[in-house]
């Protein structure tokens, strides 16, 4: 009896039900209540040490400096030593705030950090305020306002401080900040009193400003102390009942009506300010002490929640392991089978199909049968269907590519046979022609037919077959390059700089001619029509290097890198990528014989193609002079125009190799002779080519030769002037 198959939905429901309920109930509660409090607990102490304490120190230093600055402005004979010392303390306090706040930047909330940055930026205005005091160009009220604006920013920082998540404690902190602002107004009053005492007079503007400060101080002190709880309010109530506080209130009343201040006012106001600072410090410490038990309670909450969560997690793990192990084993087996299909079987099938092997789609796709879960079994069946379809599609694609390749070869072979016959007919007509213009037209047709044959051979190469043309003996590299150049439409722009001597093995000569011709044609197409294309050749350490250089616009580095990668590793031919047929042909020919082809930028701004022929394919012609063409440096046009009877590239037509002008006519002019190459192998299915003998066309008439030579000479001069 088959094992009972459970639905994967049922297993997943059982697997997730227990951890879902436990974790959502416990961790949701714990996260909502304690996580935020725990995070604030971790940073509150650091923020207090790195922001609250140094900000308070900077505000106190600014208050003292303000007091001493107004005193100096009131009495020109007063000593500057105390003020200079206080300025140093202020600068140190500012630097300490910047250092500490920067260290705790990650823990400081964004609104608080913005206010700290604003305070530090405002301290840059101290230089201007101090200059006004030193030069006595600023009045006492102006200096008072300059320092007050900076100190107010320090109190703005206090408003964004948070010492705990407890709302009641936050209210006490805010009330303390309000009382602190009343202390700041008292500091302003003290500064005005000290300046007036030093000057010995009170101006009307100072009395008006002092009256505003009195009203504000008393209001803020009353509001702030009213918001404090009884224990914290007691400290300020005691301060308000002291003789020093009563004396200061008497000074407030007297300052608004007197024209000359009493010298004792300054001492009394400073005494009360110091007492106020002591009370404020004590209250702040008591608020901080209150936060400690709250922090401990928060830690306890986090611990309890974490313990309960740990129990829930343990139960979830037990259930998950028990039910998940079985499903995991089934899924792992199915996964391995799928990966084996994707990583090994399908690539192996595709590789064998590319090699031309026959593949049976049925034997290559065994059924996948894993597990007892209904859905996993169905997934296995689906994978089996997928891999069967994939293999069948790969086999079909391979068969289609074989068919397309056979069509390419069939059409190309037919075209190649017709073109060989056409070249033979053109050759016979060239020998019979005596009119220079007719001969020129025949040469053009000969050249066009040669290019058509190269395109037909490109189809054969793309299909994986061999074109068929070749030589049994070595062929001079000079002749190979010249033959390649004359298979290009715009061959007159090409300059050949290949020395005589080295030769190629005859079996690769045809493929190298085709390879170089594709590169030269590419250079002529992608460069301006008035620029030359240079083909240079020279022996290299590991073979023979042929360089095709144009003076076009070049290409982008990314595009050049992509083309070099294609030339190094020939990709599979894609029928949709018909714009890169020449690239495919070059890469296929290079890979067939181990030739390295690479592109690089040309010094003239264009592109240089380097063809490195391996040393094994290079041969030296011994026993006889190498087959040669026109002198090095001649373009195809210069080689053809002055020499009557010169035809298109060799290696074309009936399989000849380009030869130099040999012999003379009756008029003493050079005569082009087609050299016989009886060792050339004919294409498959073609009869052996008819060998041309030297001077096979018979001597040309002197008048025709002179006319042709004169026409070629004039064309060469016209082209030289146009460059």
């Amino acid at each position: 009896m088959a094992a009972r198959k459970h639905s994967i939905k049922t297993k997943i429901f059982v697997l997730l039900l227990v951890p879902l309920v436990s974790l959502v109930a416990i961790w949701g509660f714990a996260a909502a209540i304690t996580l935020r409090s725990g995070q604030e607990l971790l940073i509150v102490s650091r923020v207090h040490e790195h922001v609250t304490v140094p900000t308070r120190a900077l505000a106190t230093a600014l208050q003292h400096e303000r007091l001493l600055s107004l005193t100096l402005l009131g009495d020109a004979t007063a000593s500057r030593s105390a003020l200079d010392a206080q300025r140093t303390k202020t600068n140190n306090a500012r630097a300490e705030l910047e250092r500490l706040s920067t260290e705790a930047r990650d823990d400081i909330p964004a609104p608080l950090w913005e206010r700290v940055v604003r305070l530090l930026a405002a301290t840059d205005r101290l230089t201007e305020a101090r200059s006004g005091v030193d030069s006595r160009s600023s009045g006492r009220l102006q200096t008072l306002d300059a320092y007050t604006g900076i100190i107010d920013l320090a109190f703005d920082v206090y408003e964004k401080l948070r010492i705990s998540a407890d709302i009641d404690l936050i209210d006490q902190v805010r009330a303390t900040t309000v009382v602190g602002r009343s202390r700041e107004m008292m500091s302003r009053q003290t500064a005005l009193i000290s300046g007036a005492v030093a000057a010995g007079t009170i101006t009307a503007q100072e009395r008006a400003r002092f009256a505003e400060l009195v009203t504000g101080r008393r209001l803020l002190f009353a509001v702030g102390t009213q918001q404090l709880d009884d224990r914290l309010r007691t400290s300020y109530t005691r301060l308000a009942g002291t003789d020093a506080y009563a004396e200061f209130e008497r000074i407030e009343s007297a300052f608004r009506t007197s024209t000359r201040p009493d010298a004792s006012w300054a001492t009394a106001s400073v005494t009360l300010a110091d007492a106020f600072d002591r009370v404020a410090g004590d209250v702040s410490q008591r608020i901080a002490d209150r936060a400690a038990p709250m922090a401990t309670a928060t830690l306890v909450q986090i611990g309890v929640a974490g313990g309960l969560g740990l129990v829930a997690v343990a139960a979830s793990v037990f259930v998950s392991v028990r039910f998940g192990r079985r499903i995991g084993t089934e899924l792992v087996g199915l996964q391995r089978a799928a990966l084996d299909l994707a990583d090994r079987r399908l690539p192996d099938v595709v590789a064998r199909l590319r090699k031309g092997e026959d593949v049976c789609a049925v034997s290559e796709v065994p059924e996948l049968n894993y597990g007892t879960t209904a859905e996993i079994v169905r997934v296995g069946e689906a994978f089996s269907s997928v891999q069967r379809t994939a293999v069948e599609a790969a086999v079909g694609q391979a068969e289609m590519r074989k068919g397309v390749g056979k069509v390419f070869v069939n059409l190309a072979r037919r075209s190649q046979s017709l073109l060989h016959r056409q070249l033979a007919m053109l050759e016979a007509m060239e020998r019979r022609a005596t009119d220079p213009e007719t001969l020129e037209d025949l040469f053009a047709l000969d050249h066009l037919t040669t290019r058509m044959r190269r395109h037909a051979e490109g189809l054969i190469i793309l299909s994986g077959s061999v074109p068929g043309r070749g030589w049994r003996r070595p062929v001079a590299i000079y002749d190979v390059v010249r033959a390649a150049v004359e298979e290009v439409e715009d061959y007159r722009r090409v300059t050949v700089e290949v020395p005589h001597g080295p030769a190629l093995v005859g079996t690769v000569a045809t493929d190298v001619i085709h390879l170089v011709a594709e590169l030269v044609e590419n250079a002529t197409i992608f460069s301006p029509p008035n620029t030359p294309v240079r083909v240079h050749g020279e022996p290299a350490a590991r073979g023979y290097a042929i360089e095709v250089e144009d003076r076009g616009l070049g290409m982008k580095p990314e595009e050049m890198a992509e083309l070099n990668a294609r030339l190094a590793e020939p990709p599979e031919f894609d029928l949709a990528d018909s714009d890169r047929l020449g690239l495919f042909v070059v890469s296929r020919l290079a890979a067939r014989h181990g030739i390295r082809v690479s592109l690089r930028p040309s010094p003239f701004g264009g592109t240089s193609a380097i063809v490195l022929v391996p040393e094994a394919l290079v041969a030296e012609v011994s026993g006889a002079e190498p087959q040669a063409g026109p002198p090095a440096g001649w373009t195809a046009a210069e080689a053809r125009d002055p020499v009557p009877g010169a035809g298109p590239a060799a290696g074309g037509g009936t399989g000849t190799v380009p030869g130099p002008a040999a012999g003379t006519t009756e008029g003493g002019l050079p005569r082009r002779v087609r050299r016989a190459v009886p060792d050339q192998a004919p294409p498959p299915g073609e009869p052996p080519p008819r060998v041309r003998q030297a001077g096979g066309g018979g001597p040309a008439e002197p008048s025709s030769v002179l006319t042709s030579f004169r026409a070629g000479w004039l064309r060469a001069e016209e082209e030289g002037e146009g460059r």
Side-chain angles (χ1 to χ4, degrees), residues 58-225:
L58 177 60
T60 302
L62 289 170
Q63 289 172 347
H64 286 298
E65 184 177 337
R66 178 177 59 189
L67 175 64
L68 295 175
S69 297
L70 266 68
T71 302
L72 182 63
L73 289 175
D75 185 4
T77 62
S79 175
R80 288 182 48 89
S81 59
L83 178 59
D84 292 338
Q86 184 58 44
R87 287 179 177 177
T88 301
K89 293 179 181 179
T90 302
N91 294 337
N92 293 338
R94 193 264 184 203
E96 185 71 2
L97 173 61
E98 183 176 11
R99 183 183 68 82
L100 293 176
S101 61
T102 302
E103 290 179 359
R105 171 66 184 89
D106 295 337
D107 295 332
I108 299 176
L112 178 59
W113 174 254
E114 292 177 0
R115 299 207 175 191
V116 172
V117 172
R118 194 182 306 165
L119 171 60
L120 293 174
T123 55
D124 295 336
R125 300 198 299 267
L126 284 175
T127 303
E128 181 180 355
R130 290 169 178 175
S131 299
V133 173
D134 295 338
S135 63
R136 299 184 180 278
S137 59
S138 299
R140 293 199 294 271
L141 288 178
Q142 183 179 358
T143 303
L144 177 70
D145 293 338
Y147 280 93
T148 299
I150 301 174
I151 296 172
D152 284 342
L153 293 177
F155 281 92
D156 291 341
V157 173
Y158 295 149
E159 292 181 352
K160 291 298 181 181
L161 289 174
R162 294 292 183 270
I163 193 171
S164 173
D166 185 79
I167 297 178
D168 294 335
L169 194 58
I170 292 176
D171 290 339
Q172 298 303 301
V173 174
R174 289 177 177 174
T176 304
T177 303
V178 173
V179 176
R181 286 190 177 273
S182 71
R183 164 65 180 86
E184 159 60 13
M185 290 191 174
M186 180 186 295
S187 177
R188 299 180 199 175
Q189 291 173 295
T190 303
L192 284 175
I193 292 172
S194 298
V197 169
T201 60
I202 303 175
T203 64
Q205 293 84 355
E206 290 175 341
R207 282 196 296 272
R209 178 64 64 82
F210 194 88
E212 295 176 0
L213 292 174
V214 171
T215 303
R217 184 196 69 78
R218 293 179 178 179
L219 177 61
L220 291 176
F221 184 79
V223 172
T225 55

Side-chain angles (χ1 to χ4, degrees), residues 439-459:
L439 190 60
E440 182 73 18
D441 293 339
L442 293 175
F443 282 161
L445 289 175
D446 189 303
H447 178 68
L448 182 61
T449 305
T450 303
R451 291 178 55 225
M452 294 170 62
R453 182 190 58 188
R454 176 165 59 86
H455 294 317
E457 290 178 351
L459 294 178

Side-chain angles (χ1 to χ4, degrees), residues 21 37 40 48 53 87 97 186 192 264 287 293 311 371 375 416 482 492 508 512 543 574 588 598 657 675:
V21 173
S37 299
E40 292 182 356
H48 177 75
V53 174
R87 287 179 177 177
L97 173 61
M186 180 186 295
L192 284 175
S264 62
I287 292 176
V311 174
E375 284 76 4
Q416 192 179 35
R482 290 302 300 270
R492 296 178 183 272
V508 302
V512 174
D574 187 1
R588 287 284 180 88
S598 60
V657 181
R675 182 173 298 174

